[in-house]
Amino acid sequence: MDDLNTTAEKIRTMEIRGAGRIAVAASAALRDHAKKLKSLPMKEFEIKLEEAAKTLVDTRPTAVSLPNAVALTKRHSSTNVYAAIDEIDSNAEKFIKNAEEALDKIGRIGAERIHDGDVIMTHCNSHAAISIIKTAFDQGKDISVIATESRPRRQGFITIRELNDYGIPTTLIVDSAVRLTMKKVDLVVVGADSISVNGALINKIGTSQLAMAAQEARRNVIVAAETYKFSPRTLLGEMVEIEDRSSEEVIDPEILKELPNVKVSNPAFDVTPAEYIDLIITEVGAFPPAMAFTVIRDYLGLEIADI
Ligand code: RUB
């Protein structure tokens, strides 16, 4: 069993990646950590729990699944440590079970939107988006996928391997081929790191170019997102922070050293405005982006944003 710092490090270095996997790992790590604090007096327990929560949340800034998972796991109403740990344990169990079931439900709901013969474009590597694709394939639909490489980390390679192993015909393209290739596509299916209250999607850098090219070609864009990918704090006017990653992901540092007038910008995510999104598939149903507030209120609860 990894300790909290090991899990935090795995999230930071992207050994654990993808908004859903990050959330599940964080919930489990916080639960295990809380159990180790059982001999502390209540006040110290609370302080150590908050420190642990912060360590996890600080690892990556963009996927709201992480602070949501941490907030949903750590909340408790007990005044004694053992009872608090019991509550945290059952919160984590519930969160992790829901997260696993959500993937299947999203798969089933989303697959309704996929027809026999469809060509689906996807970006990066999203377990929720892949669940939709695999479910449609399992239903016997004759589908194929166009997957983007997703520079600089090339998560598209994870996607093509997974689809290949499932027997789904797949074409890999470089990110800059998205617009040219859109002619061959019937619909776009992507995942989400965050969805803000105005229905905007924050996902892997390049997602917005898929959505814009899809709109230009009059193709639908479907987002696969568990309800815990919605961002309650955007209700308070907070913007979702876009993670800036190291230049080393983009260019060899030795080459960069020879180019004193060049700097590298490496934003890991971008924002797709709601008007480019046709439907968000969650585990509780398919919503237009304009219903983001309702999802936050009814399925996460406003208190998670301290409202
Ligand atoms: C992954 C990414 C995925 C979302 C959703 O980015 O942008 O589309 O996280 O994934 P990174 P999932 O590789 O930087 O974590 O559906 O698996 O939660």
Side-chain angles (χ1 to χ4, degrees):
M1 195 199 305
D2 285 344
D3 68 10
L4 185 107
N5 287 327
T6 310
T7 301
E9 195 51 24
K10 284 186 177 174
I11 296 172
R12 193 175 299 111
T13 56
M14 293 177 64
E15 192 181 319
I16 299 173
R17 50 147 300 281
R21 293 278 156 98
I22 290 171
V24 166
S27 179
L30 193 62
R31 173 201 60 202
D32 297 342
H33 189 74
K35 289 182 181 171
K36 290 182 193 157
L37 305 175
K38 64 176 187 292
S39 54
L40 294 180
M42 190 63 188
K43 205 162 166 213
E44 254 183 79
F45 171 81
E46 294 286 17
I47 293 169
K48 294 281 179 211
L49 190 67
E50 283 309 318
E51 278 173 13
K54 187 167 167 6
T55 300
L56 289 167
V57 168
D58 285 350
T59 52
R60 291 193 78 188
T62 302
V64 72
S65 54
L66 175 56
N68 280 349
V70 167
L72 294 169
T73 303
K74 79 177 162 74
R75 68 177 168 195
H76 66 88
S77 52
S78 314
T79 48
N80 98 51
V81 172
Y82 281 89
I85 291 173
D86 275 351
E87 270 190 71
I88 291 167
D89 192 23
S90 92
N91 291 342
E93 193 188 317
K94 193 170 146 206
F95 183 83
I96 293 166
K97 185 168 175 280
N98 283 349
E100 277 156 13
E101 289 174 0
L103 279 181
D104 285 343
K105 289 180 188 159
I106 288 170
R108 283 203 300 277
I109 298 170
E112 293 296 318
R113 308 295 294 212
I114 295 182
H115 304 108
D116 203 38
D118 274 356
V119 177
I120 301 151
M121 184 181 277
T122 192
H123 187 51
C124 193
N125 176 257
S126 156
H127 299 88
I130 288 177
S131 176
I132 292 178
I133 294 167
K134 282 183 175 171
T135 308
F137 184 74
D138 287 342
Q139 290 168 346
K141 291 171 187 163
D142 175 24
I143 57 168
S144 63
V145 174
I146 297 176
T148 56
E149 181 187 13
S150 310
R151 280 274 296 155
R153 298 286 298 221
R154 296 196 165 97
Q155 290 92 330
F157 288 5
I158 308 172
T159 297
I160 58 168
R161 185 168 292 280
E162 202 173 336
L163 296 174
N164 173 76
D165 294 350
Y166 215 69
I168 300 175
T170 301
T171 305
L172 175 69
I173 59 168
V174 296
D175 300 313
S176 42
V178 158
R179 183 162 176 259
L180 181 79
T181 312
M182 195 56 75
K183 291 190 221 46
K184 299 180 185 158
V185 170
D186 294 293
L187 86 165
V188 171
V189 181
V190 291
D193 277 85
S194 287
I195 295 171
S196 59
V197 68
N198 64 1
L201 164 70
I202 297 88
N203 193 47
K204 182 53 57 195
I205 188 82
T207 302
S208 64
Q209 75 174 2
L210 266 75
M212 289 172 80
Q215 189 175 73
E216 181 192 38
R218 298 178 187 282
R219 304 298 195 266
N220 284 341
V221 174
I222 287 184
V223 178
E226 301 87 332
T227 48
Y228 65 79
K229 308 263 180 78
F230 287 71
S231 172
R233 294 193 68 84
T234 57
L235 274 169
L236 302 173
E238 228 175 64
M239 305 282 284
V240 175
E241 185 185 335
I242 302 291
E243 177 180 10
D244 246 321
R245 294 191 62 87
S246 159
S247 63
E248 292 182 18
E249 292 185 343
V250 180
I251 186 168
D252 183 333
E254 291 306 312
I255 298 175
L256 195 58
K257 260 193 225 156
E258 294 160 13
L259 308 169
N261 297 319
V262 174
K263 60 181 184 347
V264 174
S265 167
N266 182 20
F269 300 95
D270 69 13
V271 182
T272 303
E275 57 265 32
Y276 294 94
I277 298 163
D278 293 286
L279 213 52
I280 303 173
I281 311 286
T282 76
E283 73 277 19
V284 291
F287 298 101
M291 282 184 72
F293 171 74
T294 312
V295 173
I296 294 171
R297 185 192 57 199
D298 295 354
Y299 296 100
L300 288 167
L302 298 184
E303 66 282 3
I304 196 175
D306 302 320
I307 286 176

